[in-house]
Amino acid sequence: MVDKNRSAATAPDHPVRIDNPGQLIASVPAILGFVPHRSLVVALLSLEPSRRAGAIKAVVRCDLHDPHDMAGAVASAAIANGADAVLVFVIDDRRPPLHPDDAVLIAVNDRLAESGVEVKGAWTVQRIATEQRWHSLRPPHRTGVLPDPTTTVIAAYRAYRGGSVAPDRTALEDLFTPLPELAQEISEHLPDAETRLHPGDAGTREYLWIQTVLCTVAAVDAGADAAPQALADVAVAWRDNPARDAALALAGTAHADAAEQVALTLTRTQSGQDRARAASVLAFLTYHRGEGALAGMAVEAALTADPYDSLAALLRTALDCGLPTDRVRSLAQHIRQVLVADGVEIPPVVLPDLP
């Protein structure tokens, strides 16, 4: 089960200058990938030397619950990301606009002050939708109306990249709905895959597993539907850590989307450790591109299927403390370097590598 109280850090992948609160609030769904509801959303900032402007390093969202628990999650993410300041948004349709003395804002202010992180601005809105009125929670008091969230610069860029914005978090959860018919077809091929993919010595098997993963993903990237037999092959290959790592190495490459598609399909069709392995790959790939909410759901799916999955547990800790996406990208880069050194051909990187 997904714990909706958990926070997840999402990194915007396109720099854009926004100096209007309404535009900024309306851009939140495009940054998160879904429209937040009854949520605390906090943008973590890296300030310029003048401290008058800054860049968003990550955005943290959690369901509205215990103010002190939320404040602790925000502070942990701010520290992990080296944030200088934050912008706070409270989205809640259950009551009139909040006041500056609201318990949520006080708890966040106090907890961040202990860490030397400044609250640069705070606003509240009942819903993020066109013409909804926002109110500032810090002086000078200001109010205004939101533009259409689908017309913001960040929303346009997300659409250009082929992404979409879900109407709510539940719509993202629906992505994990089981596919029983396909699951049955894949299961029929598993015994044969277990036999075919275990020839010769350990080195031969490992190379075969890695190539199985890469070839299947490449075929999907070229537009082919992954056949049940191919998916069974990948499920068996991912039981081996180096073969699973080959999928992680695809993060940020030309085949990243196809790898996500394969991982999501296996998450929806497998059970036990095979489901956990697929879901942890999906979590890594989505975390790498800044989709914290989707990564968190994948992690919970993995840990529900196998509480001892080491990669999922590691990613759960990273998400809880708001580990910057750059750290995940550096890990993917390292895995690619190791595989290339071993003679494995990796597709071109489309996201910039770290120095």
Side-chain angles (χ1 to χ4, degrees), residues 334-350:
H334 173 72
I335 295 172
R336 283 194 293 272
Q337 291 170 342
V338 171
L339 289 173
V340 169
D342 288 341
V344 177
E345 186 175 345
I346 300 295
V349 176
V350 293

Side-chain angles (χ1 to χ4, degrees), residues 158-224:
R158 188 180 186 92
Y160 170 76
R161 289 279 301 274
S164 60
V165 177
D168 52 38
R169 198 173 185 277
T170 301
L172 288 183
E173 294 172 358
D174 290 344
L175 293 174
F176 294 83
T177 302
L179 301 171
E181 292 184 4
L182 180 56
Q184 178 59 36
E185 292 182 59
I186 295 173
S187 69
E188 293 171 359
H189 291 280
L190 284 174
D192 176 62
E194 291 166 350
T195 300
R196 283 187 298 100
L197 296 178
H198 282 78
D201 59 74
T204 300
R205 289 196 299 272
E206 184 174 295
Y207 181 81
L208 178 59
W209 290 331
I210 291 174
Q211 291 305 316
T212 295
V213 171
L214 295 180
C215 289
T216 300
V217 171
V220 172
D221 187 66

Side-chain angles (χ1 to χ4, degrees), residues 5-343:
N5 282 338
R6 290 191 183 275
S7 60
T10 299
D13 59 0
H14 178 61
V16 62
R17 188 174 187 88
I18 301 175
D19 54 13
N20 177 278
Q23 285 282 345
L24 183 57
I25 298 168
S27 298
V28 167
I31 296 174
L32 294 177
F34 67 98
V35 181
H37 175 68
R38 298 180 182 175
S39 299
L40 171 69
V41 178
V42 180
L44 311 178
L45 305 179
S46 174
L47 296 180
E48 297 176 353
S50 67
R51 301 188 72 84
R52 293 178 60 86
I56 296 178
K57 298 171 70 71
V59 175
V60 179
R61 188 218 71 92
C62 51
D63 286 356
L64 290 173
H65 58 292
D66 176 72
H68 296 286
D69 185 38
M70 288 188 291
V74 170
S76 295
I79 293 170
N81 283 270
D84 301 311
V86 301
L87 302 174
V88 178
F89 312 95
V90 180
I91 302 102
D92 193 351
D93 62 344
R94 294 171 294 186
R95 51 184 173 175
L98 302 177
H99 297 288
D101 60 352
D102 184 84
V104 174
L105 189 59
I106 290 175
V108 171
N109 263 313
D110 291 348
R111 187 65 181 82
L112 290 176
E114 297 173 6
S115 306
V117 179
E118 178 184 2
V119 178
K120 293 287 285 186
W123 300 270
T124 182
V125 64
Q126 291 190 325
R127 291 185 301 117
I128 299 183
T130 308
E131 298 298 319
Q132 281 291 305
R133 183 161 291 279
W134 56 266
H135 301 267
S136 60
L137 292 173
R138 294 170 63 85
H141 179 74
R142 297 177 60 193
T143 186
V145 295
L146 298 184
D148 183 349
T150 66
T151 64
T152 66
V153 174
I154 295 179
Y157 183 74
R158 188 180 186 92
Y160 170 76
R161 289 279 301 274
S164 60
V165 177
D168 52 38
R169 198 173 185 277
T170 301
L172 288 183
E173 294 172 358
D174 290 344
L175 293 174
F176 294 83
T177 302
L179 301 171
E181 292 184 4
L182 180 56
Q184 178 59 36
E185 292 182 59
I186 295 173
S187 69
E188 293 171 359
H189 291 280
L190 284 174
D192 176 62
E194 291 166 350
T195 300
R196 283 187 298 100
L197 296 178
H198 282 78
D201 59 74
T204 300
R205 289 196 299 272
E206 184 174 295
Y207 181 81
L208 178 59
W209 290 331
I210 291 174
Q211 291 305 316
T212 295
V213 171
L214 295 180
C215 289
T216 300
V217 171
V220 172
D221 187 66
D225 290 329
Q229 178 179 327
L231 291 168
D233 288 349
V234 173
V236 171
W238 276 349
R239 295 172 186 173
D240 174 69
N241 284 343
R244 183 201 61 190
D245 290 349
L248 306 186
L250 296 176
T253 72
H255 291 175
D257 289 346
E260 279 190 36
Q261 184 178 336
V262 171
L264 178 58
T265 301
L266 287 174
T267 299
R268 299 175 71 183
T269 56
Q270 300 306 291
S271 60
Q273 292 183 343
D274 285 348
R275 173 177 165 84
R277 288 261 164 170
S280 64
V281 169
L282 178 64
F284 185 92
L285 295 173
T286 50
Y287 196 171
H288 183 279
R289 64 181 174 88
E291 296 284 355
L294 193 54
M297 293 176 191
V299 163
E300 295 303 329
L303 292 176
T304 299
D306 178 9
Y308 301 102
D309 187 275
S310 57
L311 177 58
L314 180 65
L315 291 172
R316 174 74 278 162
T317 300
L319 284 163
D320 282 349
C321 70
L323 187 75
T325 306
D326 284 353
R327 306 281 182 86
V328 180
R329 290 182 177 174
S330 66
L331 177 57
Q333 178 182 332
H334 173 72
I335 295 172
R336 283 194 293 272
Q337 291 170 342
V338 171
L339 289 173
V340 169
D342 288 341

